[in-house]
Amino acid sequence: MAKKKEVVKKIKLQIPAGKATPAPPVGTVLGPAGINLQEFCTKYNDATRDKMGDILPVEISVYDDRSFDFIIKTPPVSFLIKKYAKINKGSVKGSKEIVATLTDAQITEIAEIKLPDLNCYGVEEAKNIVIGTAKNMGVAVEEK
């Protein structure tokens, strides 16, 4: 009977899609875990090639035999808001300073992208989460 692999460590990183390299920050985090850096980078880059330009969170499970699995999540809400609003960064003063405006359709699109990773059941709840993040970043939301 085969022995079941045991997860030794779980590592969470945010890496640009298709651009993982064994250099820092990936190498410095994964090196001590003992996994093959080049193998991880190749698999990650192949899996994310279609999402180039996005920053994707990845959850890596390292097993006792130094093998690994990883799950790629959807981009962070703040990244998507900046991308749709075409800004480089959010407001320094939070909701007191408006730096951009998003339409209701754009908010819905962001909510649909993030829905699998959010702790909610429907698009309306996801939209509320996205709107809250947008307001804290100084991005106004046009009402319907």
Side-chain angles (χ1 to χ4, degrees):
M1 190 166 106
K3 186 179 175 188
K4 188 178 176 193
K5 292 185 195 178
E6 187 176 325
V7 176
V8 176
K9 198 179 233 184
K10 279 196 180 255
I11 302 169
K12 293 181 181 181
L13 289 173
Q14 289 189 4
I15 311 170
K19 294 184 180 174
T21 62
V26 178
T28 53
V29 175
L30 298 182
I35 68 171
N36 184 335
L37 294 175
Q38 194 59 48
E39 182 185 355
F40 169 77
C41 291
T42 304
K43 286 183 178 180
Y44 178 82
N45 291 339
D46 289 343
T48 59
R49 194 133 348 261
D50 59 332
K51 295 180 179 89
M52 283 295 246
D54 290 359
I55 293 177
L56 299 175
V58 62
E59 196 173 282
I60 307 153
S61 299
V62 182
Y63 298 104
D64 50 6
D65 64 350
R66 289 188 172 177
S67 62
F68 63 91
D69 286 334
F70 61 88
I71 300 167
I72 299 167
K73 306 280 187 172
T74 56
V77 173
S78 58
F79 174 81
L80 292 171
I81 289 169
K82 289 189 292 186
K83 182 177 173 181
Y84 278 79
K86 296 178 176 64
I87 56 174
N88 290 330
K89 66 179 197 168
S91 165
V92 179
K93 297 178 182 169
S95 60
K96 292 175 177 43
E97 178 186 18
I98 304 299
V99 293
T101 305
L102 289 176
T103 64
D104 190 57
Q106 289 173 313
I107 294 290
T108 304
E109 203 172 320
I110 294 170
E112 287 170 351
I113 292 169
K114 279 301 292 180
L115 191 59
D117 289 343
L118 292 177
N119 189 17
C120 60
Y121 297 110
V123 177
E124 287 303 313
E125 291 93 348
K127 279 175 65 173
N128 289 338
I129 293 171
V130 173
I131 289 169
T133 305
K135 286 182 179 176
N136 282 331
M137 291 175 65
V139 176
V141 179
E142 285 181 11
E143 298 298 322
K144 292 185 228 178

